[in-house]
Amino acid sequence: MESHSRAHQAVAALRHVLGPQWEFSLPDPANRTFEIRHRNRGTLYIPPRSTPSWTELLTTLTTAFAARDVIRDECLPLRWGRETELTISAVQALDPLLKGGRALTYRKGFLPQPVVRFTGDRDERGDLLDGFLTAFVNVSRVQPITSIGEYAEALDDWLFVLSRLGFHARHIEIHGRVEVWHRRQVAGVTLMFNHLDLAIGDLVLLWNTENPESMGLDLGTGLERLAWARTRRDWNGLVFGSFAEAAPACVLDAVRTATLLLGSGITPSARGAGGVARRVIATIPPSLVKLGVSAIVRSFHQHWAVSTNLPVPWPAICSAMEEEVASRSVRKSPRRHVGGELVTPDGACPPDDGLVRSVAQPDTSH
């Protein structure tokens, strides 16, 4: 069963489920890569004239998944505190199944999961590239499965959901490798999917290496990236709205991330999840906070509230952000070199290059 047999089984199941309207090819047999493209590919894509609100977009996703018997579940808490300080992927809901081989999951079904990651692609100046954010809504389907056929059917379900969002199958390209990867207790096979030239997510078949019958699937994309692929609008205007020109994108990204962290009840501290919040807020210029952040925080709070319940209201977030910035000036003292690195009095390496660095380790389940 091991080696690459499951990868071959997955490709065979995909052929069966997708049918003759999809063409399979092996552009690089030496690297075991394959592509799946619609036979009517190549037609012009014309973005829809209307741009749905975040609420409308999420409602469409919820309804479309439900039509395929995939029911929306509650989000995971943002403070994770297990292998990572924060929730960085909805697939962490499958940890008991995939890492422990137990018939148990924390969540299953459709999860529009807010996450915080520090792994987005950046340019030579350290700024995030278009399509990447430190915090975003991880549109996911995570669930245990009993056969590889269910994994293939999940791709068919996803194509149905995309069609309800205004995408057409002829503009979708799927690619992967006939190869099984291994990371600690978990093995898997990954499919990537693009809308035209834009990568929009993946679908992963996963199983526990000690108990291969403990299988699950993880469909992952981003709500913001889906909206971008659909509309092809300016990225900053799409995610930051009317505030896109108010400050540099890196600052807006930090305020947006801090709003999620503080709104989830994570208070700035010296370490742990609170340490992440402190370091994010440290990249927000004091001058911006002095002018007031209520309007922008309220806007970002509304965005996050579409997918999850934030226990902390936006006025309290503004106060916490202002207090942290004010207390930072009190804590600040001349920097000194320790072991060749600049450090602050609390021993943390300051974000002197303008980047936010995570204290959390990246998820290694896939």
Side-chain angles (χ1 to χ4, degrees), residues 151 173-176 190-194 199-204:
Y151 169 72
E173 179 181 308
I174 305 154
H175 58 94
T190 301
L191 281 181
M192 307 292 295
F193 43 86
N194 292 6
I200 56 173
D202 57 26
L203 177 63
V204 190

mmCIF file of all heavy atoms in Angstrom, residues 151 173-176 190-194 199-204:
data_model
loop_
_atom_site.group_PDB
_atom_site.id
_atom_site.type_symbol
_atom_site.label_atom_id
_atom_site.label_comp_id
_atom_site.label_asym_id
_atom_site.label_seq_id
_atom_site.Cartn_x
_atom_site.Cartn_y
_atom_site.Cartn_z
ATOM 1 N N TYR A 151 -11.856 11.191 -1.671
ATOM 2 C CA TYR A 151 -10.934 12.288 -1.953
ATOM 3 C C TYR A 151 -11.174 12.838 -3.360
ATOM 4 O O TYR A 151 -11.254 14.061 -3.563
ATOM 5 C CB TYR A 151 -9.499 11.785 -1.810
ATOM 6 C CG TYR A 151 -8.429 12.718 -2.312
ATOM 7 C CD1 TYR A 151 -8.111 13.888 -1.630
ATOM 8 C CD2 TYR A 151 -7.710 12.414 -3.472
ATOM 9 C CE1 TYR A 151 -7.116 14.733 -2.087
ATOM 10 C CE2 TYR A 151 -6.705 13.255 -3.936
ATOM 11 C CZ TYR A 151 -6.420 14.415 -3.234
ATOM 12 O OH TYR A 151 -5.436 15.256 -3.692
ATOM 13 N N GLU A 173 -7.088 24.773 -13.806
ATOM 14 C CA GLU A 173 -6.055 23.786 -14.111
ATOM 15 C C GLU A 173 -5.596 23.143 -12.809
ATOM 16 O O GLU A 173 -5.401 23.824 -11.811
ATOM 17 C CB GLU A 173 -4.861 24.438 -14.815
ATOM 18 C CG GLU A 173 -3.744 23.458 -15.134
ATOM 19 C CD GLU A 173 -2.564 24.137 -15.817
ATOM 20 O OE1 GLU A 173 -2.782 24.839 -16.822
ATOM 21 O OE2 GLU A 173 -1.425 23.964 -15.330
ATOM 22 N N ILE A 174 -5.443 21.828 -12.824
ATOM 23 C CA ILE A 174 -5.066 21.059 -11.635
ATOM 24 C C ILE A 174 -3.748 20.349 -11.937
ATOM 25 O O ILE A 174 -3.567 19.809 -13.034
ATOM 26 C CB ILE A 174 -6.164 20.031 -11.289
ATOM 27 C CG1 ILE A 174 -7.518 20.739 -11.126
ATOM 28 C CG2 ILE A 174 -5.811 19.260 -10.029
ATOM 29 C CD1 ILE A 174 -8.709 19.861 -11.396
ATOM 30 N N HIS A 175 -2.831 20.358 -11.000
ATOM 31 C CA HIS A 175 -1.562 19.677 -11.235
ATOM 32 C C HIS A 175 -1.025 19.112 -9.925
ATOM 33 O O HIS A 175 -1.383 19.556 -8.830
ATOM 34 C CB HIS A 175 -0.536 20.615 -11.879
ATOM 35 C CG HIS A 175 -0.245 21.850 -11.071
ATOM 36 N ND1 HIS A 175 0.800 21.934 -10.182
ATOM 37 C CD2 HIS A 175 -0.885 23.058 -11.011
ATOM 38 C CE1 HIS A 175 0.808 23.124 -9.622
ATOM 39 N NE2 HIS A 175 -0.198 23.837 -10.104
ATOM 40 N N GLY A 176 -0.179 18.112 -10.054
ATOM 41 C CA GLY A 176 0.390 17.469 -8.882
ATOM 42 C C GLY A 176 1.504 16.527 -9.272
ATOM 43 O O GLY A 176 1.985 16.541 -10.411
ATOM 44 N N THR A 190 -0.651 15.629 -2.752
ATOM 45 C CA THR A 190 -1.169 16.988 -2.889
ATOM 46 C C THR A 190 -1.528 17.311 -4.333
ATOM 47 O O THR A 190 -0.747 17.036 -5.253
ATOM 48 C CB THR A 190 -0.139 18.019 -2.398
ATOM 49 O OG1 THR A 190 0.160 17.761 -1.030
ATOM 50 C CG2 THR A 190 -0.660 19.442 -2.533
ATOM 51 N N LEU A 191 -2.705 17.898 -4.513
ATOM 52 C CA LEU A 191 -3.133 18.473 -5.791
ATOM 53 C C LEU A 191 -3.161 19.985 -5.637
ATOM 54 O O LEU A 191 -3.697 20.504 -4.651
ATOM 55 C CB LEU A 191 -4.547 18.016 -6.160
ATOM 56 C CG LEU A 191 -4.783 16.643 -6.749
ATOM 57 C CD1 LEU A 191 -6.274 16.478 -7.038
ATOM 58 C CD2 LEU A 191 -3.992 16.460 -8.036
ATOM 59 N N MET A 192 -2.616 20.718 -6.589
ATOM 60 C CA MET A 192 -2.701 22.173 -6.615
ATOM 61 C C MET A 192 -3.673 22.580 -7.717
ATOM 62 O O MET A 192 -3.759 21.912 -8.754
ATOM 63 C CB MET A 192 -1.332 22.786 -6.902
ATOM 64 C CG MET A 192 -0.220 22.308 -5.988
ATOM 65 S SD MET A 192 -0.411 22.853 -4.274
ATOM 66 C CE MET A 192 -0.243 24.625 -4.486
ATOM 67 N N PHE A 193 -4.402 23.679 -7.495
ATOM 68 C CA PHE A 193 -5.287 24.143 -8.565
ATOM 69 C C PHE A 193 -5.115 25.633 -8.794
ATOM 70 O O PHE A 193 -4.891 26.417 -7.872
ATOM 71 C CB PHE A 193 -6.757 23.780 -8.298
ATOM 72 C CG PHE A 193 -7.230 23.986 -6.893
ATOM 73 C CD1 PHE A 193 -7.707 25.204 -6.470
ATOM 74 C CD2 PHE A 193 -7.205 22.935 -5.979
ATOM 75 C CE1 PHE A 193 -8.159 25.393 -5.178
ATOM 76 C CE2 PHE A 193 -7.649 23.107 -4.683
ATOM 77 C CZ PHE A 193 -8.132 24.345 -4.281
ATOM 78 N N ASN A 194 -5.173 25.989 -10.079
ATOM 79 C CA ASN A 194 -5.020 27.362 -10.524
ATOM 80 C C ASN A 194 -6.297 27.836 -11.193
ATOM 81 O O ASN A 194 -7.048 27.037 -11.780
ATOM 82 C CB ASN A 194 -3.895 27.498 -11.550
ATOM 83 C CG ASN A 194 -2.524 27.265 -10.965
ATOM 84 O OD1 ASN A 194 -2.383 26.895 -9.810
ATOM 85 N ND2 ASN A 194 -1.502 27.476 -11.769
ATOM 86 N N ALA A 199 -2.459 30.757 -8.786
ATOM 87 C CA ALA A 199 -2.654 29.640 -7.857
ATOM 88 C C ALA A 199 -3.675 30.032 -6.805
ATOM 89 O O ALA A 199 -3.570 31.100 -6.197
ATOM 90 C CB ALA A 199 -1.327 29.278 -7.192
ATOM 91 N N ILE A 200 -4.679 29.180 -6.597
ATOM 92 C CA ILE A 200 -5.721 29.528 -5.633
ATOM 93 C C ILE A 200 -5.900 28.506 -4.520
ATOM 94 O O ILE A 200 -6.730 28.719 -3.630
ATOM 95 C CB ILE A 200 -7.083 29.780 -6.328
ATOM 96 C CG1 ILE A 200 -7.520 28.576 -7.161
ATOM 97 C CG2 ILE A 200 -7.035 31.033 -7.168
ATOM 98 C CD1 ILE A 200 -8.929 28.724 -7.731
ATOM 99 N N GLY A 201 -5.138 27.413 -4.517
ATOM 100 C CA GLY A 201 -5.285 26.504 -3.389
ATOM 101 C C GLY A 201 -4.836 25.094 -3.689
ATOM 102 O O GLY A 201 -4.216 24.813 -4.715
ATOM 103 N N ASP A 202 -5.163 24.181 -2.763
ATOM 104 C CA ASP A 202 -4.776 22.790 -2.941
ATOM 105 C C ASP A 202 -5.794 21.860 -2.292
ATOM 106 O O ASP A 202 -6.632 22.275 -1.488
ATOM 107 C CB ASP A 202 -3.380 22.523 -2.385
ATOM 108 C CG ASP A 202 -3.228 22.890 -0.910
ATOM 109 O OD1 ASP A 202 -4.243 22.884 -0.174
ATOM 110 O OD2 ASP A 202 -2.106 23.183 -0.486
ATOM 111 N N LEU A 203 -5.714 20.613 -2.667
ATOM 112 C CA LEU A 203 -6.523 19.547 -2.085
ATOM 113 C C LEU A 203 -5.569 18.420 -1.736
ATOM 114 O O LEU A 203 -4.871 17.900 -2.618
ATOM 115 C CB LEU A 203 -7.592 19.062 -3.077
ATOM 116 C CG LEU A 203 -8.460 17.891 -2.622
ATOM 117 C CD1 LEU A 203 -9.285 18.261 -1.393
ATOM 118 C CD2 LEU A 203 -9.381 17.439 -3.756
ATOM 119 N N VAL A 204 -5.540 18.038 -0.461
ATOM 120 C CA VAL A 204 -4.534 17.106 0.027
ATOM 121 C C VAL A 204 -5.200 15.864 0.591
ATOM 122 O O VAL A 204 -6.136 15.950 1.395
ATOM 123 C CB VAL A 204 -3.648 17.758 1.104
ATOM 124 C CG1 VAL A 204 -2.448 16.863 1.424
ATOM 125 C CG2 VAL A 204 -3.167 19.133 0.662
#
